[in-house]
Each structure stands twice: as C-alpha cells, then as structure tokens.
C-alpha cells in the first residue's frame, strides 16, 4: 500500500497504474493464511488471535478501496494508461502537500509495525510495539492542520480557485479531483488509526 501511494502521490512520477487486482490477490492470500493459522497446532504458544486478525484483514480491505479510488482520481481523465494528470502533479507538488503525505505514510508505517508486532508475538511477554514512541503520536491531530494548510494553498491555484474556468466533466475538474484525493487520503489515515487502536487496545 505504501509503495502504491507513493507512486500515486509523488509529483515526480509521471505514470500511475492500478493496484486493484494485485492488492485483492494479496488480501485473499492473507485470508487463507489466517484460516490456516487458526487451525494449526500451537502447543506452548498463545492462541491465534482469529478475531483480531479478521478485523485487521477487513480493515485492509477498506484501505484497499480508498487506494483504488485515489488511483482513479490521479490517472488522467480517470483512465489508466493515459498517465498522471498534470493538474494532479501540480497539486501534489505544492510545498504544503508534503506534511499531508508524511502523515499518511507515517500512519501506515505505524499500523504496519503494530500489526507485525502483535501477530508475531508467541508468548505473553510485554508487547514490543508499546516501546515504540511513535505509537503515542496523535496523527489525526497532525493531519487536520496539515490538510487545512494544503487546502489554503491549493485554493490559490487558478484551476482550483473560485475564478476557475468550468470543466467538461468531474474527471477533469481540478477542484473535484483535489477534493476526492483528500477524501481518500483522509479515509486511509482514519482507517489506519482505527486499526492501530483496535490492535493495541486488547493489550491493556
């Protein structure tokens, strides 16, 4: 997911490809492995957290849907193979977009670390993920002001502001594209934080 998002949101990349089929395949593999883990013998090891794992897989499925929507927004005219829309590259190349993108990537990194730590733990020792100070960060609190700063700068672009010329379709309207991209990014950050909380909460 992180690599796909970097490809979609990095203004230096001129092309964007759909990860829909690839991520769906990986999701199905995760579901199968989770079922296998739930029935395998686990002598001298803690029981496999089936409900927690299933919730995590469901959450990743929602993250995948947000990624797919984001990639459609970034593709020129919503058509894969047409390259990345130039207006999207201008938007994601704004200086204020970097903090938004950083919070996005950090949220995925955090939840990835927490997931790996919890699912790989075989005994009842203190969860090593809890020693990571980054898990104490309020990424939602960081995301909101970063989002507002970016929206303010983006509104200054001629193709986004109130004086923009009308577009032929939503797929070509820079303001609509910007709103859809931010909606997908916010959905990913929120879902990642929700999943992280669900993973860590049973430890306490």
């Amino acid at each position: 997911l992180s690599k796909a998002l970097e490809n979609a949101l990095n203004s230096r990349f001129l092309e964007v490809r759909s990860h829909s089929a690839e991520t769906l395949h990986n999701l199905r593999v995760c579901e199968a492995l989770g079922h296998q883990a739930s029935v395998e013998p686990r002598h001298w090891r803690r029981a496999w957290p089936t409900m927690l794992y299933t919730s995590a897989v469901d959450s990743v499925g929602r993250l995948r849907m947000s990624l797919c929507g984001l990639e459609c927004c970034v593709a020129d005219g919503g058509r894969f193979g047409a390259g990345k829309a130039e207006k999207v590259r201008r938007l994601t190349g704004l200086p204020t977009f970097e903090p938004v993108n950083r919070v996005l990537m950090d949220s995925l990194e955090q939840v990835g670390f927490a997931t790996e730590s919890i699912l790989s733990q075989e005994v009842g020792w203190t969860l090593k993920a809890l020693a990571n100070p980054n898990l104490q960060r309020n990424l939602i609190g960081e995301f909101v002001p970063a989002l507002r700063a970016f929206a303010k700068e983006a509104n200054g672009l001629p193709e986004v502001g109130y004086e923009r010329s009308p577009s032929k379709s939503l797929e070509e309207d820079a303001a609509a594209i910007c709103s859809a991209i931010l909606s997908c990014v916010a959905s990913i950050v929120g879902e990642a934080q929700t999943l992280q909380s669900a993973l860590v909460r049973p430890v306490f």
Side-chain angles (χ1 to χ4, degrees), residues 114-134:
T115 302
E116 187 277 332
S117 177
I118 290 169
L119 295 180
S120 64
Q121 182 172 326
E122 300 291 357
V123 294
W125 297 337
T126 302
L127 189 67
K128 63 180 180 181
L130 299 181
N132 186 348
N134 285 331

Side-chain angles (χ1 to χ4, degrees), residues 92-115:
T92 56
L94 293 175
T96 51
F97 186 75
E98 174 56 30
V100 175
N101 194 36
R102 185 168 58 250
V103 172
L104 172 66
M105 295 303 177
D106 286 351
S107 66
L108 291 178
E109 181 180 355
Q110 280 191 202
V111 75
F113 178 80
T115 302

Side-chain angles (χ1 to χ4, degrees), residues 132-202:
N132 186 348
N134 285 331
L135 289 182
Q136 307 302 320
R137 287 175 61 189
N138 180 8
L139 289 178
I140 299 296
E142 296 178 27
F143 179 72
V144 172
L147 185 64
R148 288 174 177 166
F150 169 71
K152 182 177 181 180
E153 184 177 19
N155 282 330
L157 296 178
E159 60 265 45
V160 177
Y162 291 111
E163 303 300 325
R164 69 184 186 278
S165 302
S167 301
K168 296 179 180 179
S169 66
L170 286 176
E171 290 86 352
E172 298 177 358
D173 187 272
I177 293 173
C178 182
S179 297
I181 289 175
L182 293 180
S183 177
C184 292
V185 170
S187 177
I188 293 173
V189 172
E191 184 65 38
Q193 288 292 280
T194 300
L195 174 57
Q196 178 180 305
S197 298
L199 289 169
V200 176
R201 190 180 303 116

Side-chain angles (χ1 to χ4, degrees), residues 39-43 45:
V39 297
E40 70 178 358
R42 297 182 65 83
H43 306 299
R45 295 185 294 173

